[in-house]
Amino acid sequence: MRTPFVVGNWKLNKTIAESLALVTDLKNQLGAVKGVAVGVAPVFSALHSVAKRLEGSSIATCGQNCHYEASGAWTGEVSAPLLADAGASWVIVGHSERRQFFGDTSESVGKKARAVLAANLGAIVCVGELLAERDAGRTLAVVDEQLAGGLAGIDAAGAAKIVIAYEPVWAIGTGRTATPAQAQEVHAHIRAWLANRFGAATADTIRIQYGGSVKPSNAEALMSEKDIDGALVGGASLEAADFIAIVKAARPS
Ligand code: PEP
Protein backbone atom coordinates (compact mmCIF):
# COMPACT_ATOMS: atom_id res chain seq x y z
CA MET A 1 0.00 0.00 0.00
CA ARG A 2 1.13 3.53 -0.75
CA THR A 3 1.39 5.88 2.22
CA PRO A 4 -0.42 9.10 1.28
CA PHE A 5 1.79 12.18 1.19
CA VAL A 6 0.33 15.61 1.95
CA VAL A 7 2.58 18.60 1.30
CA GLY A 8 1.86 22.26 2.04
CA ASN A 9 3.28 24.58 -0.62
CA TRP A 10 3.54 27.93 1.10
CA LYS A 11 4.64 29.68 -2.12
CA LEU A 12 5.86 33.27 -1.51
CA ASN A 13 4.32 33.60 1.95
CA LYS A 14 5.42 33.89 5.56
CA THR A 15 8.36 35.43 7.35
CA ILE A 16 10.73 33.23 9.33
CA ALA A 17 8.78 33.99 12.52
CA GLU A 18 5.44 33.19 10.87
CA SER A 19 6.84 30.00 9.35
CA LEU A 20 8.13 28.85 12.72
CA ALA A 21 4.80 29.57 14.39
CA LEU A 22 2.93 27.50 11.80
CA VAL A 23 5.35 24.62 11.80
CA THR A 24 5.40 24.49 15.59
CA ASP A 25 1.61 24.07 15.57
CA LEU A 26 1.90 21.33 12.95
CA LYS A 27 4.65 19.54 14.85
CA ASN A 28 2.60 19.63 18.07
CA GLN A 29 -0.70 18.61 16.52
CA LEU A 30 0.35 16.09 13.89
CA GLY A 31 2.67 14.04 16.07
CA ALA A 32 0.02 11.42 16.75
CA VAL A 33 -1.30 11.13 13.18
CA LYS A 34 -0.27 7.81 11.70
CA GLY A 35 -0.41 6.47 8.17
CA VAL A 36 0.18 9.79 6.36
CA ALA A 37 3.48 11.36 5.34
CA VAL A 38 3.52 15.14 5.70
CA GLY A 39 5.76 17.88 4.29
CA VAL A 40 5.92 21.66 4.15
CA ALA A 41 7.60 23.81 1.52
CA PRO A 42 8.53 27.20 2.99
CA VAL A 43 10.21 30.10 1.20
CA PHE A 44 13.96 29.61 0.81
CA SER A 45 14.79 32.22 3.45
CA ALA A 46 12.85 30.27 6.09
CA LEU A 47 13.76 26.76 4.99
CA HIS A 48 16.73 26.16 7.27
CA SER A 49 14.93 27.51 10.35
CA VAL A 50 11.87 25.37 9.57
CA ALA A 51 13.98 22.24 9.05
CA LYS A 52 15.72 22.85 12.38
CA ARG A 53 12.38 23.31 14.16
CA LEU A 54 11.11 20.07 12.59
CA GLU A 55 14.04 18.01 13.82
CA GLY A 56 12.72 15.07 15.79
CA SER A 57 9.38 15.09 13.95
CA SER A 58 8.36 13.11 10.88
CA ILE A 59 7.31 16.23 8.94
CA ALA A 60 9.58 16.73 5.94
CA THR A 61 10.93 20.07 4.77
CA CYS A 62 10.68 20.62 1.02
CA GLY A 63 12.11 23.12 -1.43
CA GLN A 64 9.67 24.78 -3.85
CA ASN A 65 12.06 24.75 -6.81
CA CYS A 66 15.76 24.41 -7.61
CA HIS A 67 18.26 25.01 -10.35
CA TYR A 68 19.50 22.02 -12.32
CA GLU A 69 23.17 22.80 -11.77
CA ALA A 70 24.75 22.15 -8.38
CA SER A 71 26.75 25.40 -8.22
CA GLY A 72 28.28 28.13 -10.36
CA ALA A 73 27.45 31.49 -11.90
CA TRP A 74 23.67 31.36 -11.57
CA THR A 75 22.77 34.53 -9.66
CA GLY A 76 19.61 34.24 -7.61
CA GLU A 77 19.26 30.47 -7.91
CA VAL A 78 19.43 27.70 -5.33
CA SER A 79 20.55 24.15 -6.08
CA ALA A 80 19.39 20.75 -4.87
CA PRO A 81 22.59 20.03 -2.88
CA LEU A 82 22.26 23.42 -1.16
CA LEU A 83 18.62 22.71 -0.32
CA ALA A 84 19.77 19.41 1.16
CA ASP A 85 22.43 21.29 3.11
CA ALA A 86 19.71 23.61 4.47
CA GLY A 87 17.64 20.64 5.64
CA ALA A 88 15.29 19.79 2.77
CA SER A 89 14.50 16.18 1.97
CA TRP A 90 12.17 16.84 -0.99
CA VAL A 91 12.00 19.42 -3.78
CA ILE A 92 8.96 20.39 -5.85
CA VAL A 93 9.82 20.77 -9.54
CA GLY A 94 7.69 21.92 -12.47
CA HIS A 95 4.99 23.69 -10.47
CA SER A 96 2.64 25.39 -12.92
CA GLU A 97 3.60 28.83 -11.57
CA ARG A 98 7.23 28.06 -12.49
CA ARG A 99 6.11 26.91 -15.94
CA GLN A 100 3.81 29.94 -16.46
CA PHE A 101 5.93 32.76 -15.06
CA PHE A 102 9.54 31.58 -14.93
CA GLY A 103 10.03 29.71 -18.17
CA ASP A 104 10.22 26.15 -16.84
CA THR A 105 9.72 23.65 -19.66
CA SER A 106 9.26 19.90 -19.57
CA GLU A 107 12.92 19.59 -20.53
CA SER A 108 14.20 21.86 -17.76
CA VAL A 109 11.86 20.17 -15.26
CA GLY A 110 13.49 16.85 -16.19
CA LYS A 111 16.95 18.35 -15.59
CA LYS A 112 15.80 19.65 -12.22
CA ALA A 113 14.27 16.29 -11.25
CA ARG A 114 17.53 14.51 -12.12
CA ALA A 115 19.48 17.09 -10.10
CA VAL A 116 17.19 16.50 -7.11
CA LEU A 117 17.71 12.74 -7.26
CA ALA A 118 21.47 13.20 -7.70
CA ALA A 119 21.44 15.17 -4.43
CA ASN A 120 19.76 12.20 -2.74
CA LEU A 121 16.50 14.06 -2.27
CA GLY A 122 12.98 13.11 -3.34
CA ALA A 123 11.39 15.00 -6.25
CA ILE A 124 7.74 16.03 -6.45
CA VAL A 125 7.19 16.43 -10.19
CA CYS A 126 4.14 18.56 -11.03
CA VAL A 127 2.06 18.10 -14.16
CA GLY A 128 -1.28 19.50 -15.23
CA GLU A 129 -3.20 21.07 -18.08
CA LEU A 130 -4.45 24.61 -18.68
CA LEU A 131 -8.20 25.19 -18.96
CA ALA A 132 -7.91 25.74 -22.73
CA GLU A 133 -6.10 22.41 -23.05
CA ARG A 134 -8.82 20.61 -21.07
CA ASP A 135 -11.53 22.28 -23.16
CA ALA A 136 -9.71 21.17 -26.31
CA GLY A 137 -9.67 17.55 -25.07
CA ARG A 138 -5.89 17.62 -24.72
CA THR A 139 -5.56 16.91 -20.98
CA LEU A 140 -4.03 13.46 -21.27
CA ALA A 141 -1.72 14.41 -24.14
CA VAL A 142 -0.41 17.41 -22.16
CA VAL A 143 0.17 15.28 -19.08
CA ASP A 144 1.96 12.64 -21.19
CA GLU A 145 4.29 15.26 -22.64
CA GLN A 146 5.06 16.69 -19.18
CA LEU A 147 5.70 13.21 -17.74
CA ALA A 148 7.99 12.29 -20.63
CA GLY A 149 10.08 15.45 -20.13
CA GLY A 150 9.92 15.57 -16.36
CA LEU A 151 10.95 11.93 -15.92
CA ALA A 152 13.45 11.77 -18.81
CA GLY A 153 16.57 9.85 -17.88
CA ILE A 154 15.10 8.51 -14.63
CA ASP A 155 15.23 4.75 -14.13
CA ALA A 156 13.14 2.50 -11.86
CA ALA A 157 15.59 3.07 -8.96
CA GLY A 158 15.16 6.82 -9.36
CA ALA A 159 11.40 6.41 -9.64
CA ALA A 160 11.39 5.18 -6.04
CA LYS A 161 12.26 8.75 -5.00
CA ILE A 162 9.64 10.39 -7.23
CA VAL A 163 6.16 11.63 -6.40
CA ILE A 164 3.92 12.98 -9.17
CA ALA A 165 1.59 15.88 -8.37
CA TYR A 166 -1.32 16.20 -10.79
CA GLU A 167 -2.44 19.82 -10.61
CA PRO A 168 -4.92 21.02 -13.22
CA VAL A 169 -3.85 24.65 -13.67
CA TRP A 170 -7.46 25.85 -13.81
CA ALA A 171 -7.97 24.53 -10.27
CA ILE A 172 -4.91 26.15 -8.65
CA GLY A 173 -5.77 29.06 -6.40
CA THR A 174 -9.14 29.47 -8.11
CA GLY A 175 -11.40 27.75 -5.61
CA ARG A 176 -12.47 25.49 -8.48
CA THR A 177 -11.56 21.87 -7.77
CA ALA A 178 -11.54 18.95 -10.16
CA THR A 179 -14.27 16.53 -9.13
CA PRO A 180 -12.95 13.31 -7.58
CA ALA A 181 -13.94 11.49 -10.78
CA GLN A 182 -12.18 14.01 -13.04
CA ALA A 183 -9.04 13.78 -10.92
CA GLN A 184 -9.17 9.97 -10.68
CA GLU A 185 -9.43 9.67 -14.47
CA VAL A 186 -6.15 11.55 -14.91
CA HIS A 187 -4.46 9.81 -11.96
CA ALA A 188 -5.32 6.39 -13.42
CA HIS A 189 -3.91 7.54 -16.75
CA ILE A 190 -0.70 8.72 -15.05
CA ARG A 191 -0.35 5.36 -13.28
CA ALA A 192 -0.79 3.53 -16.59
CA TRP A 193 1.87 5.81 -18.12
CA LEU A 194 4.20 5.02 -15.20
CA ALA A 195 3.51 1.28 -15.60
CA ASN A 196 4.40 1.49 -19.25
CA ARG A 197 7.61 3.33 -18.43
CA PHE A 198 8.81 1.63 -15.22
CA GLY A 199 6.76 -1.59 -15.03
CA ALA A 200 3.52 -2.22 -13.16
CA ALA A 201 5.16 -3.18 -9.86
CA THR A 202 7.11 0.08 -9.66
CA ALA A 203 4.13 2.15 -10.86
CA ASP A 204 2.06 0.68 -8.03
CA THR A 205 4.47 2.14 -5.49
CA ILE A 206 4.66 5.69 -6.92
CA ARG A 207 2.48 8.21 -5.12
CA ILE A 208 0.38 10.57 -7.21
CA GLN A 209 -0.81 13.65 -5.31
CA TYR A 210 -3.72 15.80 -6.39
CA GLY A 211 -3.40 19.58 -6.17
CA GLY A 212 -5.80 22.40 -6.95
CA SER A 213 -7.93 24.16 -4.32
CA VAL A 214 -7.82 21.21 -1.91
CA LYS A 215 -9.56 22.21 1.34
CA PRO A 216 -10.93 20.43 4.39
CA SER A 217 -14.36 20.19 2.73
CA ASN A 218 -13.22 18.33 -0.40
CA ALA A 219 -10.07 16.52 0.75
CA GLU A 220 -11.64 13.27 1.90
CA ALA A 221 -13.67 12.74 -1.27
CA LEU A 222 -10.63 13.40 -3.46
CA MET A 223 -8.25 11.24 -1.47
CA SER A 224 -10.60 8.29 -1.21
CA GLU A 225 -10.17 7.78 -4.96
CA LYS A 226 -8.04 4.72 -5.70
CA ASP A 227 -5.14 6.47 -7.43
CA ILE A 228 -5.05 9.69 -5.38
CA ASP A 229 -2.28 9.30 -2.84
CA GLY A 230 -2.32 12.58 -0.95
CA ALA A 231 -2.33 16.23 -1.91
CA LEU A 232 -0.18 19.20 -2.77
CA VAL A 233 -1.93 22.04 -0.96
CA GLY A 234 -1.41 25.75 -1.59
CA GLY A 235 -3.75 28.27 0.05
CA ALA A 236 -5.21 25.91 2.64
CA SER A 237 -1.74 24.99 3.91
CA LEU A 238 -1.18 28.48 5.31
CA GLU A 239 -3.54 27.90 8.25
CA ALA A 240 -2.70 25.12 10.69
CA ALA A 241 -6.31 24.04 11.29
CA ASP A 242 -7.11 23.66 7.57
CA PHE A 243 -3.89 21.84 6.76
CA ILE A 244 -4.28 19.49 9.73
CA ALA A 245 -7.84 18.68 8.65
CA ILE A 246 -6.58 17.83 5.16
CA VAL A 247 -3.81 15.61 6.57
CA LYS A 248 -6.37 13.76 8.69
CA ALA A 249 -8.63 13.32 5.65
CA ALA A 250 -5.81 11.46 3.90
CA ARG A 251 -5.64 8.69 6.51
CA PRO A 252 -6.38 5.33 4.95
CA SER A 253 -9.71 4.09 6.29
C1 PEP B 1 -0.50 24.65 -5.51
O1 PEP B 1 -0.01 25.75 -5.63
O2 PEP B 1 0.22 23.65 -5.65
C2 PEP B 1 -1.92 24.56 -5.19
C3 PEP B 1 -2.50 23.41 -5.37
O3 PEP B 1 -2.54 25.71 -4.75
P1 PEP B 1 -4.04 25.83 -4.16
O4 PEP B 1 -4.23 24.70 -3.19
O5 PEP B 1 -4.08 27.16 -3.51
O6 PEP B 1 -4.97 25.70 -5.33
Side-chain angles (χ1 to χ4, degrees):
M1 274 310 291
R2 299 177 292 270
T3 302
F5 189 22
V6 178
V7 173
N9 172 17
W10 297 353
K11 310 193 185 193
L12 188 51
N13 292 296
K14 296 199 181 287
T15 62
I16 295 173
E18 290 164 349
S19 300
L20 289 176
L22 174 52
V23 96
T24 303
D25 274 355
L26 299 181
K27 187 174 172 176
N28 291 339
Q29 295 184 55
L30 287 174
V33 177
K34 303 276 176 263
V36 188
V38 180
V40 293
V43 293
F44 294 139
S45 51
L47 192 140
H48 183 60
S49 310
V50 164
K52 279 270 172 219
R53 180 64 57 92
L54 286 173
E55 274 175 8
S57 92
S58 59
I59 302 174
T61 306
C62 312
Q64 297 180 10
N65 175 47
C66 69
H67 191 57
Y68 46 78
E69 294 291 348
S71 62
W74 303 101
T75 302
E77 291 293 322
V78 68
S79 67
L82 294 183
L83 286 170
D85 183 50
S89 46
W90 291 87
V91 184
I92 301 167
V93 294
H95 190 279
S96 66
E97 287 152 18
R98 303 295 316 174
R99 294 180 193 258
Q100 267 183 294
F101 304 121
F102 299 99
D104 280 20
T105 62
S106 295
E107 190 193 348
S108 67
V109 172
K111 287 161 97 172
K112 291 179 182 198
R114 294 195 294 280
V116 170
L117 299 185
N120 261 324
L121 302 175
I124 299 173
V125 180
C126 302
V127 299
E129 80 287 2
L130 303 169
L131 184 57
E133 292 166 338
R134 173 161 283 263
D135 288 345
R138 297 194 54 240
T139 297
L140 302 181
V142 168
V143 166
D144 285 356
E145 187 273 329
Q146 293 174 340
L147 288 169
L151 301 183
I154 292 173
D155 60 13
K161 297 275 289 174
I162 291 278
V163 165
I164 307 295
Y166 169 57
E167 301 203 301
V169 181
W170 47 272
I172 295 181
T174 59
R176 191 177 156 189
T177 320
T179 64
Q182 276 175 323
Q184 168 58 26
E185 181 195 5
V186 181
H187 281 235
H189 176 83
I190 292 171
R191 197 166 313 282
W193 190 97
L194 294 169
N196 191 39
R197 172 68 196 280
F198 298 114
T202 298
D204 262 354
T205 66
I206 299 177
R207 289 170 295 184
I208 308 173
Q209 298 172 319
Y210 172 78
S213 298
V214 176
K215 356 180 221 281
S217 58
N218 59 25
E220 193 171 346
L222 284 160
M223 290 190 275
S224 49
E225 291 290 340
K226 171 171 165 287
D227 289 295
I228 302 185
D229 311 309
L232 185 54
V233 186
S237 70
L238 297 173
E239 294 292 334
D242 285 352
F243 187 64
I244 289 165
I246 292 168
V247 169
K248 290 184 174 166
R251 271 184 301 194
S253 43

